[in-house]
Amino acid sequence: MMIAANKPPAFGLGAITNCFGCCGYGRGPYQKRKLNSRTDHQLHLICGSCYLPKENKEKPLGEDAHFICHDAQTIGVAGGVGGWARKGVDAGEYARGLMNHAKKTATDITRSSAAAVDPRKVLNEAYANNAGVQGSSTACILSLDKERGTLHAVNVGDSGFMVFRDNMCFFKSSTQQRKFNCPYQLGNCMGGDCPEAAEEFEVEELRPGDIIVLGTDGLLDNIFASEIEAVIVAYEVSGQDCEELASYIANLALYNSLDKYNVSPFQMEAQKAGREHVGGKIDDITVVIARVLASTT
């Protein structure tokens, strides 16, 4: 579903007003967040997604890709790097191949073992199996350890995720960029990164009701954590499902990307880098929502 650029999408409690606050997060090759909220329940994720490719007749599928593997309790996104278009290469093919291989790997791991899926192993195998495809992409893969209630993640580039509890963001993954708008990227080319470059994250002691928002840079460049917090408030009141929540957040990011007067995360990062940019950034937008629930068995 596309939206008009002259008004924000309607949802629950009405329009979302901008504010520029965001949750705190650390930096480094391995990040862990432990919460004083231990639960005795086994946990599981229910998921939904929305993908809004930017308008491009030559690339109707866009350059983003994602997957949801419920059996493996694993989700992922990839953002193809648009610079390949200058060489006549569709980076979306690389991103789609990477996510297809990631889903297959996660599924195979689950079928062969009861242990939690290791997202780094998934990324390693997906990268190796995608070696014959030209292009490059960012990637972020998350997996839930149901027994421990722990979220494990790996990330390469400027995709990422946030975790919300009681309508507040308490964790946001950091991004990897060599310079402004130049993310780390997996690819089979000179200068491409390998999976070893991925940052690892661990969020311990999740609890029922937590909401995970995973997205490509098209989401993160156009929406603040505080805006998603406001959306989640409306979501909790309206009782919408994950698919509908993903759709609303994606469409709000789309609206922001088309607004030349909106102060966006991308604009703020541009200013920090000494670049001039006003408004949002038009891009493919992928959102995957995962809600944490207590298992009944």
Side-chain angles (χ1 to χ4, degrees), residues 32 48 75 110 112 125 150 171 191 195 242 258 263 271:
K32 178 182 287 190
I75 57 179
T110 300
S112 63
E125 294 196 19
T150 300
F171 184 88
C242 291
L258 300 173
V263 179
Q271 290 173 348

Side-chain angles (χ1 to χ4, degrees), residues 189 191 272 285:
C189 58
K272 290 178 185 177
I285 298 169

